[in-house]
Amino acid sequence: MIAVACDHGGFELKQEILKYLNEKEIPYIDFGCDSTQAVDYPVYARKVVHAILDGKCDKGVLICGTGIGISITANRYRGIRAALCSDCFSAEATRQHNDANILAMGGRVVGPGLAVKILDTFLNTPFSEGERHKNRIRLIDEPEE
Ligand code: RB5
C-alpha cells in the first residue's frame, strides 16, 4: 500500500501520480491535500510518515513545490528515509543503497512524464540487501556517543 500526499504546490503533479497508480492498479491511500488552495506541507508530510510508521503503508510519495520542505519534515522521524529525486538514477540508487521508504518530488521542478518514470523506478527497484548498506542505514538512526 502506497501513502500519497502533497501540498498545494504538489497538487497538480499528484493528480498525474494518482493516474499512474490507478492505471497500474497499485493500491494507495491519498492523504490530501485536495486542491491548489494554500496549505502547510508539514501537516501532509506527517500523514504519510504515520501511515508508514504505523504499518498501514509500506512506501510513500510526498510532493510539494520543490519537494524540499515536505522531505525535510518526513526525515525528522526515525525509520523514515525520504529521498528527494528529480532523476531516475537517484530513484534507483536510493532504493538500492538507502532503502528509501518515501519518494519526494517537486511539483514545480519535474514534469509529469519524468515524475511518473521516477516513481516507476522507485517502486520497482528493490533494496540491495548489501551488508554495507544495511550497516549505514543502521548508523543513520543510531544515537551519537
Ligand atoms: C509553497 O509555496 C512551497 O513553499 C512548498 O510547496 C514547498 O516548495 C516547500 O518546500
Side-chain angles (χ1 to χ4, degrees):
M1 182 68 74
I2 312 293
V4 187
C6 66
D7 76 351
H8 54 291
F11 176 74
E12 283 175 13
L13 181 57
K14 190 181 74 175
Q15 304 318 299
E16 300 296 327
I17 295 305
L18 298 185
K19 204 191 293 174
Y20 162 89
L21 293 172
N22 284 325
E23 278 168 13
K24 296 279 181 189
E25 299 184 0
I26 298 169
Y28 65 86
I29 304 172
D30 179 5
F31 287 96
C33 68
D34 301 316
S35 76
T36 54
Q37 196 175 330
V39 292
D40 300 322
Y41 58 78
V43 172
Y44 293 90
R46 288 190 183 114
K47 289 176 194 281
V48 165
V49 162
H50 291 304
I52 292 173
L53 295 181
D54 295 348
K56 207 187 288 179
C57 295
D58 49 330
K59 289 198 182 70
V61 180
L62 286 172
I63 310 169
C64 65
T66 57
I68 296 172
I70 212 156
S71 58
I72 288 174
T73 310
N75 279 319
R76 295 183 79 90
Y77 292 80
R78 184 179 291 261
I80 292 296
R81 293 176 300 281
L84 174 56
C85 296
S86 306
D87 64 90
C88 294
F89 179 87
S90 300
E92 183 179 49
T94 198
R95 286 290 310 128
Q96 290 172 333
H97 293 199
N98 316 123
D99 197 15
N101 47 15
I102 294 181
L103 170 66
M105 291 188 285
R108 297 170 183 157
V109 180
V110 288
L114 177 57
V116 164
K117 274 197 178 292
I118 291 170
L119 174 60
D120 189 67
T121 304
F122 185 84
L123 294 181
N124 290 301
T125 305
F127 177 48
S128 69
E129 301 291 341
E131 285 308 317
R132 69 183 193 283
H133 296 307
K134 283 186 186 170
N135 189 48
R136 290 166 189 159
I137 290 167
R138 188 183 55 74
L139 286 171
I140 293 172
D141 286 333
E142 194 170 77
E144 280 186 87
E145 286 170 25

